[in-house]
Amino acid sequence: MADLEAIQKKLDKILKKERYAHTLGVMYTAGALAMCHGEDIETAMTAGLLHDCGKLSPVEKQMEMCRKYQISLTETEFMIPALIHAKLGAYLAEEKYNIHDKRILDAILYHTTGKPNMNLLEKIIYLADYIEPGRKMIPGLPEVRKLSFTDIDRAVCRCSELTLGFLERMGRTIDPMTRQTYEYYR
Ligand SMILES: [Fe+2]
Ligand SMILES: [Fe+2]
C-alpha cells in the first residue's frame, strides 16, 4: 500500500507551489469519484497524487530526465511537450515512488490525452485533473463537474470535447489520441 503522506512530502519539495496545490485537489477529487463509482479509494488517491509527478519545471528538465532514464519520446511528444510529463510521470511513479500497480501507472500515462475505452480508474484521473476545485472557471466546467458524479462516460465525452475545442482555438498541435478519445466517447 502506498504511503500517501510520504509521497506528499516528496512532491511538496519538487513541484511548484501551484502544481502541488493542484495535485492535492486531484488526489481528493479522485478519492470522491472513487467513492461515487465504486473504485478503490486509496488506489484512486495514489494515482491522483502522482498524476503530475513528472511535471517538473521547466519542461527542459523533463526532457533532460527522459534522456537520463532513456525514456524514448515520440515525434508527437517533441512537438507537444505538454505530453511528456505523463510518460515521465508513469516512469517516476514506478521507479522513484515504488508504485507497481499497472492500473495506477496507466492512469498517470493517459491522464493528459485520455484514450478510447478507458477503465474506471483512468476515467477518474482524467476527470479529476479537469474538475478539481482549484481549476479556473471556464464555460462547460460546472457541467463536467456534475456529470463526473452522475454519468461518467458522458463526462469524459464532454471533457474531451472541451479540451479539443480549447486546443483548436489556441491553434495548438493536437495529439491524435486526444481526438480518438473524443471520437470514441461521442
Ligand atoms: Fe498533467
Ligand atoms: Fe494535472
Side-chain angles (χ1 to χ4, degrees):
M1 216 171 261
D3 184 344
L4 291 178
E5 260 182 59
I7 299 175
Q8 281 178 43
K9 274 189 194 139
K10 283 191 195 170
L11 290 175
D12 191 14
K13 279 187 205 136
I14 62 162
L15 296 177
K16 288 209 291 192
K17 201 165 151 260
E18 317 82 67
R19 180 64 41 196
Y20 182 65
H22 161 71
T23 282
L24 294 184
V26 174
M27 176 182 78
Y28 285 115
T29 304
L33 287 170
M35 288 176 203
C36 178
H37 297 292
E39 178 56 80
D40 181 73
I41 296 169
E42 192 164 323
T43 302
M45 289 181 78
T46 306
L49 179 61
L50 283 167
H51 85 287
D52 271 344
C53 73
K55 203 147 186 169
L56 307 163
S57 183
V59 76
E60 287 71 30
K61 194 165 172 187
Q62 296 171 29
M63 292 186 174
E64 189 188 305
M65 287 189 86
C66 285
R67 272 195 300 274
K68 181 174 162 193
Y69 297 121
Q70 296 174 335
I71 301 167
S72 58
L73 297 174
T74 62
E75 214 171 295
T76 323
E77 283 157 347
F78 274 114
M79 260 154 49
I80 317 169
L83 299 176
I84 295 173
H85 78 281
K87 200 183 235 181
L88 176 62
Y91 175 88
L92 294 176
E94 182 161 27
E95 300 298 324
K96 304 284 167 197
Y97 299 92
N98 277 310
I99 303 297
H100 303 293
D101 181 340
K102 173 99 171 37
R103 292 179 75 239
I104 294 180
L105 301 176
D106 280 346
I108 297 172
L109 184 60
Y110 295 111
H111 84 268
T112 311
T113 59
K115 72 177 181 94
N117 196 21
M118 284 187 272
N119 66 35
L120 180 57
L121 184 64
E122 288 162 352
K123 289 180 213 174
I124 285 176
I125 300 306
Y126 179 72
L127 290 169
D129 188 29
Y130 197 81
I131 68 169
E132 63 96 358
R135 281 291 192 201
K136 193 175 105 224
M137 184 48 70
I138 50 164
L141 181 56
E143 185 196 351
V144 179
R145 280 182 170 152
K146 190 161 187 182
L147 281 172
S148 296
F149 290 90
T150 55
D151 188 338
I152 197 164
D153 285 318
R154 207 173 278 272
V156 171
C157 179
R158 244 341 240 145
C159 183
S160 60
E161 187 181 16
L162 289 165
T163 303
L164 210 51
F166 169 79
L167 293 171
E168 279 168 356
R169 275 198 308 284
M170 302 300 279
R172 301 250 193 102
T173 313
I174 296 167
D175 183 85
M177 189 73 97
T178 303
R179 219 179 275 285
Q180 282 166 30
T181 303
Y182 172 60
E183 293 298 331
Y184 180 90
Y185 283 94
R186 191 186 62 170

